[in-house]
């Protein structure tokens, strides 16, 4: 089954295709617009799951996830605008896991910074998340990018030289499911791996004893 992972919003506001997505999944357009706005404006990253009740539909499910333009990203990252790999890894892993849980084995992943091409670190995080999803939820899972959202040179450089990139030890992913306005939602708990390790050792990120 085919599944899509869409960024929740754009830098200058909501997705321009939100009404099209709403019609496809038989959700009132105003409701989906409100929830998509929540995905982008919440303090913690969010994931919204949409499932198509039409078994003959080309796309069986889609998720909207908090983008790089979201409030949660701006709170997590200092300074704003850098690629924060814990955020990207955990949000993309969670989005893919939700799609896999409902039976999607083919996934198209949108750029987490819509309006800009994939950045190297974000793409590395996608590969890391894909590797772990395949290991835990199905080796046959296939993932591809939206045409026009990437610089082929960047993609080929990462694909051919993955072993030379410094992979990051990510904090384990935490997800809390809930229902909001009748729709399936997830909250993703993001924390920098270094901060999590310091807390475990009894030292706060500021260097003082907890």
């Amino acid at each position: 089954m085919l599944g899509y992972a869409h960024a929740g919003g754009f830098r200058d506001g909501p997705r321009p295709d939100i009404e099209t997505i709403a019609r496809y999944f038989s959700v009132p357009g105003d409701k989906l617009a409100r929830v998509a706005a929540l995905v982008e404006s919440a303090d913690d990253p969010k994931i919204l799951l949409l499932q198509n009740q039409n078994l003959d539909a080309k796309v069986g499910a889609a998720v909207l996830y908090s983008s790089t333009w979201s409030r949660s990203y701006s709170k997590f990252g200092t300074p704003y605008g850098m690629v924060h790999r814990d955020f990207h890894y955990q949000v993309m892993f969670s989005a893919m896991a939700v799609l896999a849980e409902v039976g999607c084995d083919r996934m198209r992943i949108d750029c987490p910074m819509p309006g800009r091409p994939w950045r190297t670190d974000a793409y590395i995080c996608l590969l890391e998340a894909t590797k772990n999803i395949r290991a835990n939820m199905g080796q046959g899972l296939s993932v591809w990018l939206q045409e026009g959202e990437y610089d082929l040179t960047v993609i080929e450089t990462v694909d051919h030289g993955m072993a030379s990139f410094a992979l990051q030890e990510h904090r384990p992913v935490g997800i809390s499911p809930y229902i909001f306005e009748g729709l399936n939602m997830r909250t993703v708990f993001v924390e920098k791996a270094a901060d999590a390790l310091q807390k475990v050792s009894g030292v706060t990120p500021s260097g003082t004893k907890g």
Side-chain angles (χ1 to χ4, degrees):
M1 183 167 69
L2 178 61
Y4 281 5
H6 297 299
F10 283 57
R11 183 177 188 176
D12 56 356
R15 296 185 61 91
D17 58 355
I18 199 71
E19 288 286 343
T20 301
I21 296 173
R23 286 194 301 271
Y24 192 85
F25 289 98
S26 302
V27 177
D30 57 343
K31 175 188 283 191
L32 187 58
R34 287 196 306 272
V35 179
L38 172 66
V39 168
E40 289 294 280
S41 64
D43 288 339
D44 294 308
K46 304 286 185 185
I47 292 172
L48 162 65
L49 170 66
L50 300 169
Q51 290 180 266
N52 203 316
Q53 300 305 311
N54 179 2
L55 299 181
D56 295 325
K58 178 182 178 181
V59 180
V63 296
L64 296 180
Y65 65 89
S66 298
S67 75
T68 304
W69 306 121
S70 67
R71 174 177 171 81
S72 57
Y73 184 89
S74 66
K75 289 188 65 176
F76 182 75
T78 304
Y80 180 75
M82 292 179 61
V83 173
H84 295 278
R85 290 178 59 189
D86 281 304
F87 180 97
H88 281 311
Y89 174 81
Q90 291 175 50
V91 170
M92 285 191 284
F93 179 94
S94 301
M96 294 167 67
V98 169
L99 289 174
E101 285 170 2
V102 299
C104 296
D105 55 2
R106 294 174 294 134
M107 303 178 189
R108 195 197 78 185
I109 311 296
D110 285 356
C111 179
M113 184 182 279
R116 305 281 179 84
W118 279 85
R119 300 169 73 175
T120 298
D121 278 355
Y123 181 61
I124 290 173
C125 289
L126 174 63
L127 296 185
E128 292 172 330
T130 301
K131 176 182 177 182
N132 289 329
I133 288 289
R134 285 174 174 161
N136 292 284
M137 304 187 74
Q139 291 290 341
L141 184 148
S142 61
V143 176
W144 75 95
L145 309 181
Q146 170 69 12
E147 186 176 354
E149 289 191 345
Y150 56 87
D151 179 335
L152 187 58
T153 300
V154 171
I155 301 302
E156 290 179 340
T157 299
V158 175
D159 288 348
H160 296 157
M162 192 66 180
S164 66
F165 290 98
L167 302 184
Q168 182 170 321
E169 187 68 26
H170 296 284
R171 178 180 183 267
V173 176
I175 306 173
S176 177
Y178 65 101
I179 301 297
F180 179 75
E181 294 201 17
L183 299 176
N184 289 308
M185 303 285 293
R186 308 287 192 277
T187 296
V188 182
F189 300 99
V190 174
E191 185 175 20
K192 295 176 184 176
D195 291 354
L197 291 173
Q198 287 179 320
K199 289 179 181 179
V200 169
S201 66
V203 178
T204 67
S206 64
T208 59
K209 288 290 183 179

